[in-house]
Amino acid sequence: VQLQASGGGTVQAGASLRLSCTASGRTFSRHTVTWFRQAPGKERDLVAAIRWKDALTYYADSVKGRFTLSRDNAKNTVYLQMDSLRPEDTAVYYCAAKEDRAGWSTISNRDSYNYWGQGTLVTVSS
């Protein structure tokens, strides 16, 4: 599976962006797709995750109520709609995928993911 992340950019606080994570090579049907982000000098942290087969989702507390995951089966794409962006959301956003057998309980474990996209930069100015 190859993942292509896109949609980043520079916006002002309060604006919205939509990130996309598209898979090629195989479908997401048995995978969990997760967005992580890494700000300068910080760890790569879990933002949100979606289990493809039943659309189970998880959101980090810092983005709950502002970010929304969705999926498009036909396009084999996961979207992260980011609203009410804040300067602290500034980071490189990475999408990652792993097979469901790796377990939902390990979604925050970066080492549990088999596939990673290249990252897309989101910059939010105040």
Side-chain angles (χ1 to χ4, degrees), residues 51-69:
R51 190 165 64 190
W52 193 271
K53 65 180 181 182
D54 57 6
L56 177 65
T57 56
Y58 170 87
Y59 297 94
D61 287 343
S62 59
V63 306
K64 204 172 292 183
R66 300 188 298 122
F67 290 12
T68 306
L69 284 163

Side-chain angles (χ1 to χ4, degrees), residues 32-60:
T32 291
V33 180
T34 300
W35 287 95
F36 289 84
R37 67 185 180 187
Q38 188 166 20
K42 295 191 176 181
E43 298 258 323
R44 189 174 298 188
D45 292 328
L46 169 66
V47 176
I50 184 167
R51 190 165 64 190
W52 193 271
K53 65 180 181 182
D54 57 6
L56 177 65
T57 56
Y58 170 87
Y59 297 94

